[in-house]
């Protein structure tokens, strides 16, 4: 049986640390990096643009390409390969909904700007409280 680890990533240093930790600690595991593009709201212009696109999933994938390229670079530093997934929606909800498909979740302690953390809430805390799989929080 393959051990599967989910690593949610945004463009923060903490997310990169979480990926490095997962690659080092779970070197024999199948690592999947998840990037969630936020759902549309009055405060999230890029996400609203994705929602209005002809193909919202393709637009989200395009927006995530630089971040996913960085995730692949980090994996290559460890001579590892990773899977990547892009979803549209609320980051905590997307991770929680996928957590039952994985044996563990490794997440950075915080990410995004201070304003994002105040407005959206602590994503890591929500995931720790509601994830089906065990969660490791990396600082």
């Amino acid at each position: 049986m393959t051990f599967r680890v989910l690593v949610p990533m945004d463009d923060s240093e903490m997310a990169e640390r979480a990926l490095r930790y997962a690659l080092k600690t779970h070197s024999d595991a199948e690592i999947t990096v998840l990037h969630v593009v936020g759902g549309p709201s009055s405060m999230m212009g890029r996400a609203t643009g994705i929602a209005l696109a002809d193909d919202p999933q393709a637009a989200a994938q395009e927006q995530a390409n630089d971040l996913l390229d960085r995730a692949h670079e980090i994996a290559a530093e460890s001579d590892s390969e990773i899977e990547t997934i892009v979803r549209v929606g609320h980051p905590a909800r997307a991770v929680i909904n996928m957590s039952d498909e994985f044996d563990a979740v490794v997440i950075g302690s915080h990410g995004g700007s201070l304003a994002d953390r105040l407005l959206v809430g602590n994503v890591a805390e929500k995931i720790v409280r509601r994830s089906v799989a065990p969660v490791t929080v990396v600082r």
Side-chain angles (χ1 to χ4, degrees):
M1 185 166 111
T2 303
F3 191 77
R4 299 186 68 214
V5 179
L6 179 64
V7 182
M9 276 190 77
D10 58 13
D11 60 355
S12 70
E13 178 185 342
M14 290 296 132
E16 288 188 12
R17 286 185 190 179
L19 178 56
R20 283 189 174 93
Y21 177 88
L23 290 164
K24 181 179 177 182
T25 306
H26 304 290
S27 59
D28 293 334
E30 181 180 294
I31 306 281
T32 300
V33 170
L34 168 66
H35 178 64
V36 182
V37 179
S41 77
S42 61
M43 300 167 73
M44 300 170 80
R46 288 176 23 173
T48 300
I50 288 171
L52 298 174
D54 290 335
D55 184 349
Q57 187 62 39
Q61 185 72 41
E62 170 118 5
Q63 183 176 322
N65 280 341
D66 288 342
L67 182 136
L68 299 179
D69 288 345
R70 179 67 184 136
H72 283 286
E73 289 172 10
I74 292 169
E77 292 169 7
S78 300
D79 292 324
S80 300
E81 293 188 22
I82 57 171
E83 300 283 329
T84 58
I85 299 173
V86 176
R87 295 283 188 263
V88 177
H90 186 277
R93 193 171 306 127
V95 174
I96 292 163
N97 288 343
M98 291 184 66
S99 67
D100 64 343
E101 300 172 30
F102 293 86
D103 300 299
V105 176
V106 176
I107 188 167
S109 60
H110 58 278
S113 68
L114 176 59
D116 288 340
R117 284 181 286 185
L118 292 174
L119 294 171
V120 177
N122 189 329
V123 173
E125 180 182 348
K126 290 176 185 174
I127 292 168
V128 167
R129 290 178 189 254
R130 298 184 184 147
S131 173
V132 174
V135 178
T136 300
V137 180
V138 177
R139 295 182 354 155

